[in-house]
Amino acid sequence: MSTRSTKAILRVLNGEPVWPLPIWIMRQAGRYLPEYRETRKQAGSFLDLCYNPKLAEEVTLQPIRRFGFDASILFSDILVIPHALGQDVRFVENEGPKLEPITSDKDFSRLADELPLERLDPVFETLDRLSKSLPKETTLLGFCGAPWTVASYMIAGKGTPDQAPARITAYRDPVFMDALIDRLVRASTAYLIRQIDAGAEAVQIFESFGSALPPALFDRLSLNPIRRMVEGLKAARPDAKVIVFVRGGGANLHRFASAGIGDGLALDWTLDPALVLPTLPNTLATQGNLDPLALIAGGAPLEQGIDHILNAVRGRPHIFNLGHGILPETPVEHVAQMIARVRGA
């Protein structure tokens, strides 16, 4: 048996139930860790950290050293794709990303037709370094944003509460929106293929803004673009494993499952696994879905949230995770409590 196939996360993504559940958490390399904050000071800007292979490797390894998670996810950001395509992207401290909005054909014409992969060489170097420095039992995950989520930032120039700028664009100028989504599908697929070649063993596609899409737009802007990305990646690298995370997409999970879009589906914290999982195929890997605020609270609420998930997923291929990213104010000791509870089940 190969080293790859003995890793717990990969076994789950192959449809095998593993107990105790393997565990990693979204944004596990981040501001809740004091060692991350120290490394972040050395980097300069957030993008500088993403593009510094030595420091990006370091912050990716920090939660593995501290907690021994079963997977390590590349430290980067979903907005490196528009940045590489030629959009002005910067991160403002305590405000988040700021982009030069793309709202017209003239703006769109300034983007590269195809992703200049060489602009992302530092990211691929980080993956290569991690593939050599991670513990042999730890799965290396790559990732990217789904086209709708990335397009929402590109059009609005920032994060918005309900993605209204991108939604109104989709209604008013469907040709423009479809062209942008298509550009992102092709760029993101090429990016994921190159991540696999650089050492990633599986990848996650983040549709963080899935909840903003009404039914009239969901297939066109989320489900079908993600399908095209997964099919393109699998056609090029058949052994690549893909986790799809559609935040707020619970009503469509069964459609992703029935269409075979992804090897695993991640659940956000609003879903009850005891109700949702019986509607999905027994061999489909799932991931999630502890409320990040329960992790902040700790104590009995944390333990009850963990136990509810454990009871619901026993006997199924499942990866324990949060229902979204860990929040900066999360006490480190609560993360340790969570891991002990999951692994002691």
Side-chain angles (χ1 to χ4, degrees):
M1 187 177 288
S2 70
T3 301
R4 287 172 67 100
S5 63
T6 62
K7 295 182 178 183
I9 297 278
L10 297 177
R11 287 166 59 195
V12 171
L13 293 176
N14 279 318
E16 178 186 344
V18 176
W19 199 269
L21 297 180
I23 180 173
W24 69 279
I25 56 175
M26 289 182 269
R27 294 187 191 148
Q28 63 189 24
R31 288 179 290 168
Y32 75 106
L33 291 176
E35 55 266 43
Y36 170 86
R37 296 194 294 270
E38 287 303 310
T39 306
R40 173 73 176 79
K41 291 176 186 175
Q42 302 174 35
S45 74
F46 178 79
L47 271 180
D48 287 336
L49 178 55
C50 292
Y51 291 143
N52 184 318
K54 183 178 179 181
L55 293 183
E57 176 193 23
E58 168 60 21
V59 294
T60 306
L61 289 171
Q62 286 169 351
I64 304 304
R65 294 193 197 107
R66 184 185 277 266
F67 298 117
F69 287 117
D70 294 286
S72 179
I73 189 163
L74 164 73
F75 183 85
S76 186
D77 193 84
I78 64 172
L79 297 181
V80 298
I81 290 281
H83 189 242
L85 288 172
Q87 188 173 15
D88 179 47
V89 178
R90 64 193 191 285
F91 287 79
V92 179
E93 199 70 29
N94 300 319
E95 292 185 35
K98 303 292 182 183
L99 302 83
E100 190 67 33
I102 294 197
T103 58
S104 67
D105 291 336
K106 182 179 180 181
D107 299 332
F108 183 71
S109 69
R110 290 196 287 266
L111 298 177
D113 289 336
E114 302 292 335
L115 182 69
L117 284 166
E118 66 279 2
R119 293 198 64 185
L120 295 169
D121 278 345
V123 177
F124 307 134
E125 181 183 338
T126 301
L127 283 165
D128 180 66
R129 295 172 71 108
L130 287 164
S131 69
K132 298 177 176 67
S133 58
L134 280 169
K136 66 182 188 317
E137 68 274 11
T138 309
T139 300
L140 177 54
L141 301 176
F143 75 94
C144 73
W148 159 250
T149 291
V150 176
S152 299
Y153 279 109
M154 295 177 75
I155 291 168
K158 60 183 179 180
T160 54
D162 54 7
Q163 286 66 58
R167 279 164 50 213
I168 196 67
T169 299
Y171 286 124
R172 286 177 172 167
D173 196 346
V175 173
F176 170 84
M177 177 59 88
D178 289 348
L180 179 56
I181 291 290
D182 179 70
R183 183 75 50 91
L184 289 170
V185 166
R186 290 185 287 109
S188 302
T189 304
Y191 182 46
L192 291 181
I193 291 170
R194 185 68 183 85
Q195 287 188 41
I196 294 293
D197 291 345
E201 298 165 288
V203 294
Q204 178 158 309
I205 298 171
F206 284 85
E207 185 70 288
S208 302
F209 296 158
S211 60
L213 284 168
L217 295 176
F218 190 85
D219 282 19
R220 178 178 136 220
L221 299 181
S222 183
L223 189 146
N224 289 332
I226 293 173
R227 183 209 306 267
R228 289 173 56 200
M229 286 174 59
V230 174
E231 289 175 349
L233 174 60
K234 296 273 191 178
R237 303 293 181 267
D239 293 334
K241 297 297 179 184
V242 184
I243 303 167
V244 176
F245 174 52
V246 182
R247 183 182 176 195
N252 292 289
L253 278 179
H254 70 284
R255 300 178 62 225
F256 279 89
S258 61
I261 303 174
D263 302 283
L265 295 179
L267 317 178
D268 68 35
W269 77 86
T270 66
L271 300 174
D272 185 344
L275 299 178
V276 171
L277 295 185
T279 71
L280 300 175
N282 285 332
T283 56
L284 176 67
T286 49
Q287 177 179 281
N289 66 328
L290 184 72
D291 184 355
L293 293 182
L295 186 57
I296 290 178
L302 173 57
E303 293 182 0
Q304 290 162 7
I306 293 168
D307 291 348
H308 182 72
I309 294 168
L310 296 180
N311 291 334
V313 304
R314 187 180 286 271
R316 295 185 60 101
H318 188 84
I319 300 163
F320 194 94
N321 207 314
L322 302 181
H324 201 235
I326 187 170
L327 295 164
E329 58 269 35
T330 303
V332 170
E333 59 270 22
H334 293 183
V335 179
Q337 176 189 357
M338 173 184 68
I339 293 171
R341 189 81 171 192
V342 172
R343 290 185 170 159

